[in-house]
Amino acid sequence: MSRFFSSKYEKLVPYTPGEQPKNMKYIKLNTNESPFPPSEKAVAAAAEIAKTLQLYSDPEVTPLVEKMSEVFGVDKDEVLMTNGSDEILNFAFMAYCDKDHPAAFPNISYGFYPVFAEINNLPYEEIPLREDFTINVDDYIGINKTIFIANPNAPTGIALPVSEIEKIIKSNPDNVVVIDEAYVDFGAESCVPLIKKYDNLLVTQTFSKSRSMAGARLGFGIANKKLIQDLNTIKYSTNPYNINRMTMAAGVGVLCDEEYTKKNCQTIIENREYTVKELKKIGFEILDSSSNFIFAKHPNKDGKEIYLELKERGILVRHFDKPLLSQYNRITIGTKEQMQALIDNLKEMVK
Ligand code: PMP
């Protein structure tokens, strides 16, 4: 730290992204990316618009917002596009949390939530999950806090039904409830239809997972238009050109190829079910995942040891060196071949 760094960030512990190895070719199952390339329509559209990169991007992201409104069945003013969903989550912390509206989220969830709270100097409460890693909805009823829930949750993969989430939204009418649906396309139910019914609901999603565009950085929020106006105030006060021209074009391209996205999600779901079945046969305990990853532990082998040994064997998974989580590894679901390699290696390791 330099002697110039503001004391307000003295204690800030930044988010640790998953490893992006440069030195060696791993089977990369550690950051929940898609194993499939982006849609050809996305790639072609990005390449074409690259010829006009001398121009700023459109701050209103017009063609993409139009396409979003068509695909998601919402009005154009109910959508905000952001630089990854990380950006809209940060905007939501900035816009809706303060000392009268502290943030609240599960103690085991997306690791960026406490970082967003800290960097914005906001009070927050981490609400423990049940012992089986499920969210107890009763803990969120009428708590009068700005609530952030990842559904499905990460790194557990466990989803709540919309009917349960609705109870939380309904019982906190004077606070915003943010449902982070980064992984919703792999088997969970979306809360998007509820935005017409509740003015305190913000749903966030991403193009990073089901739409194979993690490197393009594209996320979005869907909510009542007044919430979108607030979030636009934050956006226009930080970075009006948050979506670059190539990302915008690629976003339109992939939304014109929903069949491709659906097919890939279906394949990931099938590969997940296969992996779970095979790993259970050799003794792994796996939480019930509705995501493109699984959270798994083995009764006879330490979680960190599994992570390190897999890494040596050229397979990268995500290990969290934290109480409650350290016996587990989060494993992204890849292609059938990648999962077979994982299964074969784990079979050798635990026998
Ligand atoms: N929410 C959750 C639960 C995540 O795991 C991630 C991915 N790290 C994000 C949001 C953010 O993803 P992105 O910024 O790529 O949209």
Side-chain angles (χ1 to χ4, degrees):
M1 186 193 311
S2 83
R3 61 200 165 91
F4 308 105
F5 198 40
S6 169
S7 58
K8 66 177 185 267
Y9 297 131
E10 237 166 33
K11 296 205 177 76
L12 183 65
V13 181
Y15 175 71
T16 316
E19 292 163 85
Q20 298 292 353
K22 285 151 199 102
N23 55 342
M24 181 175 152
K25 212 163 161 28
Y26 286 97
I27 294 182
K28 199 170 170 304
L29 307 177
N30 69 329
T31 47
N32 299 342
E33 290 143 330
S34 171
F36 306 115
S39 151
E40 282 174 17
K41 291 187 182 170
V43 176
E48 183 55 30
I49 209 162
K51 295 172 189 161
T52 61
L53 282 182
Q54 75 278 20
L55 302 173
Y56 279 108
S57 55
D58 170 10
E60 290 172 25
V61 208
T62 311
L64 180 51
V65 168
E66 277 170 7
K67 194 71 199 166
M68 286 288 299
S69 134
E70 190 187 309
V71 171
F72 285 85
V74 294
D75 296 337
K76 285 180 280 198
D77 52 12
E78 292 170 331
V79 179
L80 179 68
M81 305 308 298
T82 53
N83 192 304
S85 53
D86 281 339
E87 186 175 55
I88 195 153
L89 290 167
N90 189 30
F91 287 175
F93 274 88
M94 292 167 81
Y96 301 117
C97 302
D98 55 33
K99 68 175 183 359
D100 301 321
H101 306 87
F105 40 83
N107 63 335
I108 296 171
S109 192
Y110 184 30
F112 228 137
Y113 300 156
V115 181
F116 288 138
E118 293 282 350
I119 195 167
N120 294 302
N121 199 18
L122 301 166
Y124 63 98
E125 183 192 357
E126 294 181 284
I127 299 178
L129 293 182
R130 291 195 189 100
E131 228 168 86
D132 64 359
F133 291 99
T134 56
I135 290 174
N136 183 357
V137 169
D138 292 342
D139 292 341
Y140 296 84
I141 299 298
I143 61 169
N144 285 320
K145 294 185 173 156
T146 302
I147 296 167
F148 291 80
I149 289 182
N151 193 49
N153 198 9
T156 64
I158 299 172
L160 279 172
V162 165
S163 55
E164 291 295 291
I165 295 177
E166 186 167 2
K167 291 182 192 162
I168 299 175
I169 304 165
K170 204 171 180 172
S171 70
N172 290 282
D174 298 324
N175 283 272
V176 171
V177 176
V178 180
I179 304 300
D180 172 354
E181 296 186 347
Y183 301 104
V184 75
D185 296 330
F186 303 101
E189 228 184 322
S190 174
C191 285
V192 165
L194 293 186
I195 66 131
K196 302 280 183 193
K197 199 164 160 193
Y198 297 100
D199 68 355
N200 62 327
L201 168 65
L202 168 63
V203 180
T204 65
Q205 289 190 22
T206 180
F207 281 55
S208 297
K209 318 291 176 185
S210 58
R211 295 192 168 82
S212 300
M213 278 178 46
R217 313 305 302 125
L218 187 60
F220 60 92
I222 297 187
N224 173 280
K225 71 177 186 190
K226 290 207 169 138
L227 293 191
I228 296 298
Q229 271 168 14
D230 302 336
L231 296 162
N232 262 314
T233 301
I234 307 278
K235 162 182 149 154
Y236 281 90
S237 308
T238 49
N239 184 9
Y241 307 110
N242 62 340
I243 309 298
N244 72 66
R245 291 172 80 79
M246 290 189 293
T247 294
M248 189 196 67
V252 175
V254 71
L255 288 181
C256 293
D257 207 355
E258 281 288 275
E259 281 311 304
Y260 179 70
T261 298
K262 287 202 184 103
K263 182 176 92 196
N264 288 342
C265 290
Q266 196 46 44
T267 307
I268 295 294
I269 292 168
E270 284 164 21
N271 294 352
R272 179 183 72 213
E273 299 315 310
Y274 173 72
T275 308
V276 167
K277 185 172 77 155
E278 293 299 306
L279 293 186
K280 281 189 172 170
K281 279 187 201 161
I282 52 169
F284 275 90
E285 293 165 22
I286 303 171
L287 303 187
D288 200 4
S289 173
S290 302
S291 309
N292 68 339
F293 57 85
I294 53 173
F295 204 47
K297 72 169 180 180
H298 198 279
N300 305 338
K301 207 165 166 84
D302 177 65
K304 187 157 190 182
E305 254 178 61
I306 292 181
Y307 158 74
L308 289 172
E309 202 174 322
L310 278 175
K311 191 171 177 182
E312 241 167 60
R313 290 163 173 258
I315 300 178
L316 212 47
V317 299
R318 184 94 195 248
H319 182 258
F320 299 91
D321 229 340
K322 287 189 183 156
L324 303 174
L325 305 183
S326 64
Q327 282 315 305
Y328 286 83
N329 281 290
R330 193 194 68 190
I331 305 169
T332 304
I333 302 299
T335 61
K336 188 80 184 276
E337 295 69 34
Q338 290 176 318
M339 300 328 284
Q340 196 57 56
L342 171 91
I343 294 160
D344 293 345
N345 275 280
L346 286 174
K347 270 186 188 161
E348 284 174 23
M349 285 162 55
V350 301
K351 88 171 165 227

Coordinates of all heavy atoms in Angstrom, one line a residue, residues 15 32 83-87 89 110 113 150 152 154 180 182-183 205-209 214 217-219 330, ligand 1:
Y15 N -12.1 -8.8 -3.5 CA -12.6 -10.1 -4.0 C -11.4 -10.9 -4.7 O -10.6 -10.3 -5.4 CB -13.7 -9.9 -5.0 CG -14.3 -11.1 -5.6 CD1 -15.0 -12.1 -4.9 CD2 -14.0 -11.4 -7.0 CE1 -15.5 -13.2 -5.5 CE2 -14.5 -12.6 -7.6 CZ -15.3 -13.4 -6.8 OH -15.8 -14.6 -7.4
N32 N -16.7 -21.4 -13.4 CA -18.1 -21.5 -13.9 C -18.3 -20.9 -15.3 O -19.4 -20.3 -15.5 CB -19.1 -20.9 -12.9 CG -19.0 -21.7 -11.6 OD1 -18.6 -22.8 -11.5 ND2 -19.5 -21.1 -10.5
N83 N -21.8 -3.8 -17.2 CA -20.5 -4.5 -17.4 C -20.3 -5.7 -16.5 O -19.8 -5.6 -15.5 CB -19.4 -3.4 -17.2 CG -18.1 -3.9 -17.7 OD1 -17.6 -4.9 -17.4 ND2 -17.5 -3.1 -18.6
G84 N -20.9 -6.8 -17.0 CA -21.0 -8.0 -16.1 C -22.1 -7.7 -15.1 O -22.6 -6.6 -14.9
S85 N -22.6 -8.8 -14.5 CA -23.6 -8.5 -13.4 C -23.0 -8.0 -12.2 O -23.6 -7.4 -11.3 CB -24.5 -9.8 -13.2 OG -23.8 -10.9 -12.9
D86 N -21.7 -8.2 -12.0 CA -21.0 -7.6 -10.9 C -21.3 -6.1 -10.8 O -21.4 -5.5 -9.8 CB -19.4 -7.8 -11.0 CG -19.0 -9.2 -10.6 OD1 -19.7 -9.8 -9.9 OD2 -17.9 -9.6 -11.1
E87 N -21.3 -5.4 -12.0 CA -21.5 -4.0 -12.0 C -22.9 -3.6 -11.5 O -23.0 -2.7 -10.6 CB -21.3 -3.4 -13.4 CG -21.4 -1.9 -13.3 CD -21.1 -1.2 -14.7 OE1 -21.7 -1.5 -15.7 OE2 -20.2 -0.3 -14.7
L89 N -24.7 -5.4 -9.5 CA -24.8 -5.7 -8.0 C -24.2 -4.5 -7.2 O -24.7 -4.1 -6.2 CB -24.1 -7.0 -7.8 CG -24.8 -8.2 -8.3 CD1 -24.0 -9.5 -8.3 CD2 -26.1 -8.5 -7.5
Y110 N -22.3 -15.5 -2.7 CA -21.3 -14.9 -3.6 C -20.3 -14.0 -2.9 O -20.8 -13.1 -2.2 CB -22.0 -14.2 -4.7 CG -21.2 -13.6 -5.8 CD1 -20.0 -14.2 -6.2 CD2 -21.5 -12.4 -6.5 CE1 -19.2 -13.7 -7.2 CE2 -20.7 -11.9 -7.5 CZ -19.6 -12.6 -7.8 OH -18.8 -12.0 -8.8
Y113 N -20.4 -10.0 -2.4 CA -21.4 -9.2 -1.7 C -20.7 -8.4 -0.5 O -20.9 -7.2 -0.4 CB -22.6 -10.0 -1.2 CG -23.4 -10.7 -2.2 CD1 -24.2 -11.8 -1.9 CD2 -23.5 -10.2 -3.5 CE1 -25.0 -12.5 -2.8 CE2 -24.3 -10.9 -4.5 CZ -25.0 -12.0 -4.1 OH -25.8 -12.7 -5.0
A150 N -28.6 -14.9 -4.0 CA -28.2 -15.6 -5.3 C -29.1 -16.8 -5.4 O -29.2 -17.7 -4.5 CB -26.8 -16.0 -5.3
P152 N -29.9 -19.8 -8.3 CA -29.4 -20.7 -7.3 C -28.2 -20.0 -6.5 O -27.6 -19.1 -7.1 CB -28.8 -21.9 -8.1 CG -29.5 -21.8 -9.4 CD -29.8 -20.4 -9.6
A154 N -24.5 -19.6 -4.7 CA -23.2 -20.1 -5.0 C -22.4 -20.0 -3.7 O -22.6 -19.1 -2.9 CB -22.6 -19.1 -6.0
D180 N -30.1 -12.5 -7.5 CA -29.0 -12.6 -8.4 C -29.2 -14.0 -9.1 O -28.9 -15.0 -8.5 CB -27.7 -12.5 -7.5 CG -26.5 -12.9 -8.3 OD1 -26.5 -13.3 -9.5 OD2 -25.4 -12.7 -7.7
A182 N -27.5 -15.4 -11.6 CA -26.4 -15.7 -12.5 C -26.5 -17.1 -13.1 O -26.1 -17.3 -14.3 CB -25.1 -15.5 -11.8
Y183 N -27.1 -18.0 -12.3 CA -27.0 -19.4 -12.8 C -28.4 -20.0 -13.0 O -28.6 -21.2 -13.1 CB -26.4 -20.3 -11.7 CG -25.0 -19.8 -11.4 CD1 -24.6 -19.1 -10.3 CD2 -23.9 -20.1 -12.3 CE1 -23.3 -18.6 -10.0 CE2 -22.6 -19.7 -12.1 CZ -22.3 -18.9 -10.9 OH -21.1 -18.5 -10.7
Q205 N -29.1 -10.8 -13.9 CA -28.6 -12.0 -14.6 C -27.4 -11.6 -15.4 O -26.9 -10.5 -15.4 CB -29.7 -12.6 -15.6 CG -30.9 -13.2 -14.9 CD -31.8 -13.9 -15.9 OE1 -31.4 -14.3 -17.0 NE2 -33.0 -14.1 -15.5
T206 N -26.8 -12.6 -16.0 CA -25.5 -12.4 -16.7 C -25.4 -13.2 -18.1 O -26.1 -14.2 -18.2 CB -24.3 -12.9 -15.8 OG1 -23.1 -12.7 -16.5 CG2 -24.4 -14.4 -15.5
F207 N -24.6 -12.7 -19.0 CA -24.4 -13.4 -20.2 C -23.1 -14.3 -20.1 O -22.6 -14.9 -21.0 CB -24.1 -12.4 -21.4 CG -25.4 -11.8 -22.0 CD1 -26.3 -11.2 -21.2 CD2 -25.6 -11.9 -23.3 CE1 -27.5 -10.6 -21.7 CE2 -26.8 -11.3 -23.9 CZ -27.7 -10.7 -23.1
S208 N -22.5 -14.3 -18.8 CA -21.2 -15.0 -18.6 C -21.3 -16.5 -18.6 O -20.3 -17.2 -18.9 CB -20.6 -14.5 -17.3 OG -20.3 -13.2 -17.3
K209 N -22.5 -17.0 -18.3 CA -22.6 -18.5 -18.0 C -23.3 -19.2 -19.2 O -22.7 -19.7 -20.1 CB -23.3 -18.7 -16.7 CG -22.8 -17.8 -15.6 CD -21.4 -18.0 -15.1 CE -21.0 -17.0 -14.0 NZ -19.7 -17.1 -13.6
A214 N -18.4 -14.8 -20.9 CA -17.8 -14.2 -19.7 C -16.8 -13.1 -20.0 O -16.7 -12.1 -19.3 CB -17.1 -15.3 -18.9
R217 N -18.0 -9.4 -20.7 CA -18.5 -8.6 -19.6 C -19.9 -8.0 -19.9 O -20.0 -6.9 -20.3 CB -17.5 -7.6 -19.1 CG -16.1 -8.0 -18.9 CD -16.0 -9.2 -18.0 NE -16.5 -8.9 -16.7 CZ -17.4 -9.7 -16.1 NH1 -17.9 -10.8 -16.7 NH2 -17.9 -9.3 -14.9
L218 N -20.9 -8.8 -19.8 CA -22.3 -8.3 -20.0 C -23.2 -8.9 -19.0 O -23.4 -10.2 -18.9 CB -22.7 -8.7 -21.4 CG -24.0 -8.1 -21.9 CD1 -24.0 -6.5 -21.9 CD2 -24.4 -8.5 -23.3
G219 N -23.9 -8.0 -18.3 CA -24.9 -8.5 -17.3 C -26.1 -7.5 -17.4 O -26.0 -6.6 -18.2
R330 N -15.7 -26.7 -5.4 CA -16.8 -26.3 -6.4 C -16.2 -26.7 -7.8 O -15.2 -26.3 -8.2 CB -17.0 -24.8 -6.3 CG -18.3 -24.4 -7.1 CD -18.4 -22.9 -7.3 NE -17.3 -22.5 -8.2 CZ -17.0 -21.2 -8.4 NH1 -17.7 -20.3 -7.7 NH2 -16.0 -20.9 -9.2
Ligands
PMP1 N1 -23.4 -13.6 -9.2 C1 -22.9 -14.8 -8.9 C2 -23.6 -15.6 -7.9 C3 -21.7 -15.2 -9.5 O1 -21.1 -16.4 -9.1 C4 -21.0 -14.4 -10.4 C5 -19.8 -14.9 -11.1 N2 -18.6 -14.8 -10.5 C6 -21.6 -13.1 -10.7 C7 -22.8 -12.8 -10.1 C8 -21.0 -12.2 -11.6 O2 -20.8 -12.6 -12.9 P1 -20.5 -11.6 -14.1 O3 -20.0 -10.3 -13.5 O4 -19.5 -12.3 -15.0 O5 -21.8 -11.4 -14.7

